[in-house]
Amino acid sequence: MSQSCLNCLKYTMCAINFLCWLFGTIVLGTGVYLMINSKFSSLIPSLPSINLASGLVIIGTIVTCISFLGFLGALKENRCLLLSFFILLFILMMAELSVACLLLLYERKIDTFIETDLTESLEHSHKLRKSNNETDDWDKLQKLFQCCGVHNATEWGQNIPHSCCQTSDCKNEPRLWEKGCYKKLKDNYEDNLLTIGAIVIVMCIIEVLAMCFSMTLFCHISQSGLGYK
């Protein structure tokens, strides 16, 4: 392979990994912002540590670290960093495929688990609202998806929150969202299932190409005896 092609490969890897690093930094920053200013942990009582904010922080950290390894390894022609980049990327791709397969295999159990946890968290929120009128994660969820309760508004009893109302004047015109949040969440997931699948496929293709690029550069450095070990 000519030196010009290898240089092109090297700087292409640097550019792509730099863009991925920027993306990871943005995701990480967004996760930290949400962790400070809002929380969704009470919606899933069984898994309080798994929420939108912590998920973004984990994803942002992984993407930032791996892309930094790829960028620095390609720029410095460091075999150790390139090999580490290849191994971590391979592990990440296997983890993504495993999660996708588990979601398909245990779809019904996951649906039941989410429905049960949402019901439990709503009951907890209902009890808290009897003692004070503070807003919580259910208000954010109901405003975002324009829903009320897990299945319908009757689950709130007489203490229906303002986030269930379609109008700003909830007392005089109590027009409530008809659909429950569980149905809305499920419909939203099913409507975007094709898009999610396409994103996963594109990510796997990018990861495979990145692994091929890194291994090609690694083999050339090893054969030529250049670069750091």
Side-chain angles (χ1 to χ4, degrees), residues 11-209:
Y11 291 114
T12 300
M13 271 196 68
C14 289
I16 293 175
N17 279 290
F18 179 72
L19 291 176
C20 289
W21 180 82
L22 284 179
F23 171 76
T25 304
I26 293 171
V27 171
L28 178 60
T30 304
V32 172
Y33 173 81
L34 290 176
M35 191 173 288
I36 295 172
N37 293 278
S38 63
K39 59 180 181 178
F40 287 84
S41 57
S42 63
L43 296 175
I44 311 288
S46 298
L47 300 171
S49 298
I50 299 178
N51 52 66
L52 178 62
S54 62
L56 291 177
V57 169
I58 293 171
I59 293 171
T61 303
I62 292 173
V63 172
T64 302
C65 293
I66 293 179
S67 57
F68 180 75
L69 279 177
F71 173 81
L72 196 61
L75 184 65
K76 297 295 184 179
E77 297 186 4
N78 188 305
R79 286 182 289 176
C80 181
L81 292 178
L82 287 172
L83 185 60
S84 300
F85 173 74
F86 176 87
I87 293 172
L88 290 175
L89 208 54
F90 178 77
I91 294 173
L92 178 62
M93 187 177 68
M94 289 296 103
E96 291 170 358
L97 293 175
S98 299
V99 170
C101 291
L102 289 173
L103 288 175
L104 292 174
L105 288 173
Y106 298 100
E107 184 177 0
R108 290 186 178 180
K109 290 184 178 181
I110 293 172
D111 281 347
T112 305
F113 168 78
I114 292 175
E115 184 180 6
T116 303
D117 257 35
L118 285 175
T119 303
E120 183 182 340
S121 65
L122 185 140
E123 292 175 355
H124 179 68
S125 177
H126 191 204
K127 292 177 182 177
L128 290 177
R129 287 171 191 269
K130 290 181 179 180
S131 57
N132 57 71
N133 294 321
E134 293 183 2
T135 59
D136 60 9
D137 300 340
W138 268 100
D139 292 290
K140 299 170 187 175
L141 181 68
Q142 289 174 154
K143 286 180 180 179
L144 180 63
F145 288 95
Q146 298 182 344
C147 56
C148 188
V150 179
H151 299 100
N152 50 61
T154 58
E155 294 166 325
W156 286 109
Q158 299 298 321
N159 193 22
I160 299 176
H162 289 278
S163 56
C164 279
C165 297
Q166 299 183 29
T167 58
S168 57
D169 190 2
C170 196
K171 292 183 178 179
N172 300 323
E173 299 180 16
R175 293 177 56 194
L176 308 177
W177 301 113
E178 296 179 0
K179 286 188 177 182
C181 293
Y182 170 72
K183 179 72 168 127
K184 279 277 190 174
L185 288 170
K186 189 174 181 180
D187 290 344
N188 187 266
Y189 170 75
E190 291 176 350
D191 292 341
N192 294 285
L193 189 60
L194 186 62
T195 303
I196 295 171
I199 291 173
V200 172
I201 292 173
V202 170
M203 286 177 61
C204 288
I205 293 173
I206 293 174
E207 288 165 357
V208 169
L209 289 175

Side-chain angles (χ1 to χ4, degrees), residues 214-225:
S214 63
M215 191 50 60
T216 301
L217 194 58
F218 174 84
C219 293
H220 170 72
I221 296 171
S222 300
Q223 290 174 0
S224 61

